Amino acid sequence: MYKNFENVTILEHPLIKHKISMLRDKNTGTNEFRSLVEEIAMLMGYEALRDLPTEDVEIETPIEKCMTPMIEGRKLAVVPILRAGLGMVGGILALTPSAKVGHIGLCRNEETHEPEEYYCKLPTPIDERVIVVTDPMLATGGSAVAAVNFIKQHGGKKIKFMSIIAAPEGIDRLMAAHPDIQLYIGQLDRCLNDDAYICPGLGDAGDRIFGTK
Ligand code: PRP
Ligand code: URA
């Protein structure tokens, strides 16, 4: 739990901490950065999906038939916030290969730091799915709030939001706007700087994943 927000989980696993430290290093190149983002997403997904509903199905073992629990992957939607959230999708799909994937295209305006929308498409029916929104960085929280607004406007209800690094400002803004979602954070950082970048952070996640500047 973080502050009084019961739905905020800060993951404390040493493997996640170690890999986030490697991400932060400015000498970590694009290829390694991309792999680390995917691995961290998978480790975070293991925790974030621990309450996924299962249904009993009949399986025949070499010994006998039995009813045994399985996850209904078709009831899950992974929704990355473009661009950087794309880097986390493979890690979640490695756990739940039959999940559907939506996209929300948002880009922060460099002066106002507020998000501008450029593309959105969600799998249907979205209201019946557990929705995992991915974005490695939760800075001011503007992009996260806009993404969850969009999903709710389209009927989404059960929303889990996964961020690798978050600033306190972003958590406060997101949870004030959407106290009903479940938020999973890999590491809580200190604050934002004057350009609304997370400190110490890792720089621009999208640029580091895709090798742009
Ligand atoms: C980054 C990041 C988040 C957003 C976080 O995306 O991936 O989506 O900023 O900042 P916020 O919490 O202040 O809204 P950016 O807008 O740089 O786009 P990109 O992923 O295409 O680089
Ligand atoms: N977006 C990023 O990619 N990094 C930050 O530190 C803040 C927003």
Side-chain angles (χ1 to χ4, degrees), residues 142-211:
S143 304
V145 170
V148 177
N149 283 344
F150 178 83
I151 292 168
K152 285 186 175 175
Q153 279 157 17
H154 285 75
K157 294 185 185 78
K158 191 158 176 32
I159 301 170
K160 294 170 180 283
F161 196 105
M162 284 177 43
S163 269
I164 294 178
I165 295 182
E169 295 90 329
I171 300 179
D172 290 349
R173 183 167 168 186
L174 178 57
M175 297 315 290
H178 296 294
D180 55 308
I181 69 167
Q182 289 175 288
L183 174 61
Y184 298 88
I185 304 292
Q187 192 92 61
L188 175 65
D189 269 12
R190 198 175 68 249
C191 62
L192 299 177
N193 67 14
D194 292 344
D195 294 322
Y197 272 80
I198 300 175
C199 304
L202 49 73
D204 188 305
D207 283 346
R208 295 199 63 190
I209 290 170
F210 295 106

Side-chain angles (χ1 to χ4, degrees), residues 79-86 102-108 114-122 133-135 142-144 146-148 150-151:
V79 180
I81 301 180
L82 308 182
R83 291 174 298 165
L86 277 176
H103 296 88
I104 296 184
L106 296 173
C107 193
R108 286 203 317 180
E114 285 302 308
E116 293 170 357
E117 183 183 313
Y118 58 88
Y119 179 82
C120 288
K121 190 158 181 115
L122 300 176
V133 187
T134 60
D135 192 334
S143 304
V148 177
F150 178 83
I151 292 168

